[in-house]
Amino acid sequence: MLEDWAWRAEYIERISKHHLIGEQMSDDMAERIAASRHFLQALRNLRQLSFAIFDMEVHSPKSRAALENMDFTRRYNELRNQLTGMKGPEAIGEPIFNGRTHGHGNLQHLLYEHDAGLYSCHWSNTNFYDMFYYAFAKDPTDKSQGHRFRHTVLEKGASQDEMLILEQFLGRKPTTGPVIEDGTSSEEGPAIEGITLLEGSPSAAAHPIADGGSSAEAGRIIQGNPSAEG
């Protein structure tokens, strides 16, 4: 999450120089580089979605027999074609399910303890956008927000439920708005209504989960959130 600042034009310009003459990057070039961040983003998202669905399917067969009879190559290519429109061997005149296009063999996440959890990459990215635009979009170097992130999120580690920590930081339940709107909004990012939880803020004392999640209300919020299980 804390790398997002590097995609801001002002910082790209500040840290970049020509490798021969030392001239600083122009405003126009920095803006264009920043804008390129979302080039083909929709296609990348659909590709990741096909991976996540494939991951769920191979880890949740109805029976052992269903797993043994599953045509992994066929299903992988089906999902890629259906979700992204990207063609495989059929683009050069070969059958789409020729048994030789084993793209899933390069999907390393299937073997790295992600069992049926590849979707969490997208889910984490969604939460990152929510956190970043809530606290850091206006000024990624804001020390007060940085300290609050450190104490509210990093210091807790695995000592609390992740969704509780997220809600403590945001002062509300997470939303998908920022990740959907990113790329079409202003540089400050989507307008997100939130509750200020900075130390000394009047709303911090009034919020049910500002005290570290010990209240009954905090437990009710988490228990009623379906995403907390994931």
Side-chain angles (χ1 to χ4, degrees):
M1 184 187 79
L2 299 181
E3 297 175 0
D4 192 88
W5 63 270
W7 278 102
R8 301 303 173 104
E10 58 181 299
Y11 297 109
I12 293 176
E13 183 176 352
R14 186 184 302 180
I15 65 177
S16 303
K17 288 187 178 181
H18 193 283
H19 70 290
L20 293 179
I21 61 177
E23 182 178 329
Q24 194 169 31
M25 184 178 294
S26 67
D27 293 346
D28 178 65
M29 182 175 289
E31 291 286 352
R32 284 187 284 131
I33 290 176
S36 72
R37 177 183 187 180
H38 298 292
F39 181 66
L40 294 179
Q41 184 63 53
L43 182 60
R44 289 197 295 269
N45 287 341
L46 289 172
R47 182 169 176 265
Q48 289 297 120
L49 182 59
S50 72
F51 292 163
I53 293 176
F54 179 78
D55 177 46
M56 293 291 286
E57 290 188 4
V58 300
H59 284 101
S60 56
K62 293 182 179 180
S63 65
R64 181 178 181 86
L67 177 62
E68 292 176 345
N69 294 324
M70 185 180 293
D71 189 335
F72 300 108
T73 300
R74 181 183 182 89
R75 188 55 183 150
Y76 177 85
N77 288 324
E78 279 182 338
L79 287 169
R80 183 209 65 233
N81 188 270
Q82 292 170 2
L83 291 171
T84 70
M86 296 174 62
K87 295 182 178 180
E90 74 276 15
I92 56 175
E94 295 188 16
I96 187 172
F97 308 121
N98 62 5
R100 296 198 298 273
T101 309
H102 304 290
H104 57 287
N106 194 42
L107 193 55
Q108 301 177 5
H109 295 78
L110 294 174
L111 307 175
Y112 289 166
E113 299 181 359
H114 275 69
D115 302 351
L118 193 53
Y119 75 92
S120 63
C121 295
H122 257 317
W123 189 247
S124 297
N125 195 49
T126 298
N127 291 333
F128 139 65
Y129 273 100
D130 200 5
M131 297 171 74
F132 185 85
Y133 281 118
Y134 171 75
F136 298 104
K138 291 184 178 180
D139 180 9
T141 62
D142 188 327
K143 290 185 178 181
S144 63
Q145 294 288 12
H147 282 113
R148 193 167 69 85
F149 177 75
R150 175 181 178 180
H151 296 308
T152 307
V153 179
L154 300 181
E155 285 186 358
K156 300 294 177 63
S159 65
Q160 288 186 349
D161 179 272
E162 292 87 349
M163 188 56 64
L164 175 60
I165 293 176
L166 179 59
E167 291 189 2
Q168 288 174 355
F169 182 74
L170 295 173
R172 54 168 171 76
K173 291 186 177 182
T175 175
T176 58
V179 72
I180 294 174
E181 297 178 24
D182 187 67
T184 61
S185 304
S186 63
E187 187 171 284
E188 285 74 22
I192 303 295
E193 290 187 2
I195 300 174
T196 302
L197 294 182
L198 294 176
E199 185 176 357
S201 166
S203 59
H207 196 271
I209 55 176
D211 61 355
S214 59
S215 68
E217 177 66 12
R220 185 189 65 78
I221 291 174
I222 297 303
Q223 186 175 7
N225 191 335
S227 59
E229 298 178 359

